[in-house]
Amino acid sequence: MENPLVAKLQQFARLSCESKAALHTHTNGRVCHYGAHEDIISEGDRPYVIRLILTGWAYRYKQLNDGRRQILALSLPGDLCDHNVFVLREMDHTLSSLTPVTLAEITPAAFHALTLAHPCIAQALWWETLVNVATQREWTTNMGCRYAAERLAHLFCEIFYRLRGVGLTEEASCPMPLTQTDLADATGMTTVHVNRSLQELRAERLITIKQRRLTIPDLAALERRALFNPSYLHLYHIGQRRDTKGD
Amino acid sequence: MENPLVAKLQQFARLSCESKAALHTHTNGRVCHYGAHEDIISEGDRPYVIRLILTGWAYRYKQLNDGRRQILALSLPGDLCDHNVFVLREMDHTLSSLTPVTLAEITPAAFHALTLAHPCIAQALWWETLVNVATQREWTTNMGCRYAAERLAHLFCEIFYRLRGVGLTEEASCPMPLTQTDLADATGMTTVHVNRSLQELRAERLITIKQRRLTIPDLAALERRALFNPSYLHLYHIGQRRDTKGD
DNA sequence: CGGCCTGTTGAGTCGAGTCAAGCGCCGTGG
DNA sequence: CCACGGCGCTTGACTCGACTCAACAGGCCG
């Protein structure tokens, strides 16, 4: 299987063959496996290594003193877990696996060498960082001014776009390992309300969820329902995504 | 007046005299002035320059198709407006002035030279970037799982901490140019509800706002009310902040 | 079989939004 | 000098979106 990081970065920049090869070798060092629902790095821990998700889903969350939980972001295959976090002394949130996950661990030194030798990779990684921030802003917007059903619809659109970028969708469907409880924590709602809002979207024939798979029969319609605007993902090579046979 | 960027970065790292001098000269090039409530760079524009806020407040916002507005972040003196945004083709949100503002404009080339010559500055800038992301995550949490009065209290705590870091507080008070409408857009509430929640906080003797100044008689109490945890700001040099006379 | 997790449903409550009106301050202009 | 208008703040009454509590159904697994 293609390296998902290469797939991801190619959405932004054309990478030379040497750069791709370098990414391959640098991300094939130490590989870790986690089961579902394990903390990978916790709030308060000191980060010391850069992680790349190879397969599986993870998520970041934060918990208030009194137990209220907020899911902050999803980490999908090809996502880096904050390259350069080691600049900070400790994590301010927790990264946890949602499904079983395999991670590549990259040392800061190796990473630094990679970016020095390949400026186009360095730039693509900046793109990755900026898209992460933009996504976080979009989540803020989502919580701040969308209604329940719109929030869920927006989340589904984002997931679909991101998975499609790394070749993990099939036709109009994609994996959906999030339970209704997870969806509730990600969108700032209760499970009961998530349940009812999902029914609403189903009744409008915008989504179906069966056996942990999400199907979106009409993506454009779901986008309208969600007031979704993909510009925050800064995908410049749409349409060139699948033309990578010439590698 | 001291360069606010120097003050800000020193919260994280000790900078050498040469590094400080370099920051001074590089951020004293082209200076721009804006009045209150002017767009500095709009959604869809191509960023081409790095901006540093010298004085005044600005904010980022996003607007949905149907007009709903979300304030995403505040930019206070010492804040950089996304160094490296020029990696992206277009802005996905708008940066606008809240009060009259003076900005330093720095070219990407000058910025690049600065980071190459001063690794400690490069690292401090990475810290700045990561704190920005962490702050955005905290805003997501704020919208997702705090009640109205808590949200406002949290916002006030953050503003106070950030302003104190660049020496813009006096005793227990700081400027507060945000109107109730602005607070509403920043916290995902209506102005009516902001008004009532502010009254609540006032009645609990946690804040007073008079003539665009916020006073926090007991910061620790406000933090408890807000479930505020400053760790996301990653301020490591607290207590050393004001001991910079030996420069 | 029984327990647990996930999803579903109903009834009642409550936090927050909507609509509408009125107040006070301030700058402008007649 | 004062009338006017605009903006920001405040208040009341009503509505509605979302939460709480509680019970139950289905599927999976030990």
Side-chain angles (χ1 to χ4, degrees):
Chain A
M1 180 186 143
E2 198 190 22
N3 185 315
L5 180 58
V6 172
K8 186 175 171 186
L9 296 184
Q10 284 197 120
Q11 293 177 97
F12 167 68
R14 288 231 157 272
L15 300 175
S16 66
C17 290
E18 307 92 68
S19 294
K20 285 185 210 172
L23 274 172
H24 265 292
T25 52
H26 278 79
T27 58
N28 274 333
R30 205 161 114 69
V31 172
C32 291
H33 297 264
Y34 289 86
H37 306 290
E38 291 183 37
D39 285 352
I40 296 166
I41 181 164
S42 301
E43 185 170 346
D45 288 357
R46 171 153 210 156
Y48 62 97
V49 79
I50 296 151
R51 293 183 176 84
L52 166 66
I53 306 223
L54 295 173
T55 64
W57 290 31
Y59 66 103
R60 299 164 190 282
Y61 72 91
K62 205 157 193 169
Q63 211 147 7
L64 301 189
N65 293 339
D66 63 356
R68 292 178 241 174
R69 186 175 81 140
Q70 178 65 42
I71 293 183
L72 298 162
L74 296 176
S75 295
L76 308 181
D79 285 351
L80 285 166
C81 299
D82 285 330
H83 70 285
N84 266 309
V85 255
F86 48 83
V87 167
L88 302 179
R89 293 217 190 137
E90 56 176 59
M91 293 287 289
D92 55 52
H93 63 278
T94 302
L95 179 70
S96 187
S97 64
L98 188 73
T99 67
V101 150
T102 57
L103 297 173
E105 292 196 348
I106 311 161
T107 62
F111 213 81
H112 189 61
L114 185 67
T115 55
L116 274 188
H118 301 269
C120 67
I121 292 181
Q123 209 195 16
L125 290 172
W126 262 109
W127 168 80
E128 208 257 354
T129 300
L130 294 170
V131 169
N132 278 343
V133 190
T135 302
Q136 200 65 55
R137 278 193 294 261
E138 192 61 37
W139 279 49
T140 305
T141 308
N142 208 25
M143 318 277 316
C145 50
R146 284 194 185 85
Y147 290 101
E150 293 167 1
R151 275 187 221 177
L152 289 168
H154 192 278
L155 181 60
F156 293 146
C157 288
E158 178 182 312
I159 289 171
F160 193 82
Y161 267 77
R162 287 173 61 186
L163 288 177
R164 195 170 60 178
V166 288
L168 292 174
T169 54
E170 283 174 26
E171 305 283 323
S173 82
C174 68
M176 177 44 61
L178 295 164
T179 65
Q180 293 188 359
T181 307
D182 296 327
L183 290 172
D185 286 341
T187 54
M189 308 163 44
T190 56
T191 57
V192 173
H193 203 50
V194 164
N195 183 287
R196 286 172 177 144
S197 303
L198 285 176
Q199 289 179 39
E200 218 177 305
L201 293 176
R202 268 195 302 254
E204 297 172 30
R205 312 220 163 273
L206 292 171
I207 59 160
T208 58
I209 299 179
K210 229 175 260 172
Q211 288 154 341
R212 308 277 112 160
R213 262 197 104 70
L214 166 69
T215 304
I216 304 173
D218 182 353
L219 183 58
L222 189 65
E223 290 182 26
R224 280 192 302 275
R225 183 70 167 86
L227 293 92
F228 181 83
N229 178 345
S231 71
Y232 73 97
L233 295 171
H234 296 277
L235 304 172
Y236 307 136
H237 287 175
I238 286 193
Q240 299 172 34
R241 225 178 307 102
R242 298 283 104 218
D243 69 348
T244 46
K245 284 174 206 154
D247 288 353
Chain B
M1 180 189 145
E2 198 190 22
N3 185 314
L5 179 58
V6 172
K8 186 175 173 188
L9 295 184
Q10 283 197 120
Q11 292 177 97
F12 167 69
R14 287 230 157 274
L15 300 175
S16 66
C17 291
E18 308 91 69
S19 294
K20 285 185 211 171
L23 274 173
H24 264 294
T25 50
H26 279 79
T27 58
N28 274 334
R30 204 161 114 69
V31 172
C32 291
H33 296 265
Y34 288 86
H37 305 290
E38 292 182 35
D39 284 353
I40 296 165
I41 180 165
S42 301
E43 188 170 343
D45 288 359
R46 169 150 212 158
Y48 62 97
V49 80
I50 296 151
R51 294 184 175 82
L52 166 67
I53 306 222
L54 296 173
T55 64
W57 290 30
Y59 67 103
R60 298 165 192 281
Y61 72 91
K62 205 155 192 168
Q63 213 147 6
L64 301 190
N65 293 338
D66 64 356
R68 294 179 239 174
R69 185 176 80 141
Q70 178 65 44
I71 293 183
L72 298 162
L74 296 175
S75 295
L76 308 180
D79 285 351
L80 285 166
C81 299
D82 285 330
H83 70 284
N84 266 310
V85 256
F86 49 83
V87 167
L88 302 179
R89 294 219 189 135
E90 57 175 57
M91 293 287 289
D92 54 51
H93 62 278
T94 302
L95 179 70
S96 186
S97 64
L98 188 72
T99 67
V101 151
T102 58
L103 297 173
E105 292 196 348
I106 312 161
T107 62
F111 212 81
H112 189 62
L114 185 67
T115 56
L116 274 189
H118 302 268
C120 68
I121 292 180
Q123 208 194 15
L125 291 172
W126 261 109
W127 168 80
E128 208 257 354
T129 300
L130 293 170
V131 169
N132 278 344
V133 190
T135 302
Q136 199 66 55
R137 277 193 295 261
E138 193 61 36
W139 279 48
T140 304
T141 309
N142 208 25
M143 319 277 313
C145 51
R146 285 193 183 86
Y147 290 101
E150 294 167 1
R151 275 187 222 177
L152 289 168
H154 192 278
L155 181 59
F156 293 147
C157 288
E158 178 182 311
I159 289 171
F160 194 82
Y161 267 76
R162 287 173 61 187
L163 287 177
R164 195 170 61 178
V166 287
L168 293 174
T169 54
E170 284 175 25
E171 306 283 324
S173 81
C174 68
M176 178 43 62
L178 294 165
T179 66
Q180 293 188 358
T181 307
D182 296 327
L183 290 171
D185 287 341
T187 54
M189 307 163 43
T190 56
T191 57
V192 174
H193 203 50
V194 164
N195 183 285
R196 286 172 177 143
S197 304
L198 285 177
Q199 289 178 39
E200 219 177 304
L201 293 176
R202 269 195 302 253
E204 296 171 30
R205 311 221 162 273
L206 292 171
I207 60 160
T208 57
I209 299 179
K210 229 175 260 170
Q211 287 155 341
R212 310 277 111 163
R213 261 197 104 71
L214 166 70
T215 304
I216 303 174
D218 181 352
L219 182 58
L222 188 65
E223 290 181 27
R224 279 193 302 276
R225 184 69 167 87
L227 293 91
F228 181 83
N229 179 345
S231 71
Y232 73 96
L233 295 171
H234 297 277
L235 304 171
Y236 306 136
H237 287 176
I238 285 191
Q240 300 173 33
R241 225 177 308 102
R242 298 283 103 220
D243 69 349
T244 46
K245 285 174 204 151
D247 289 354

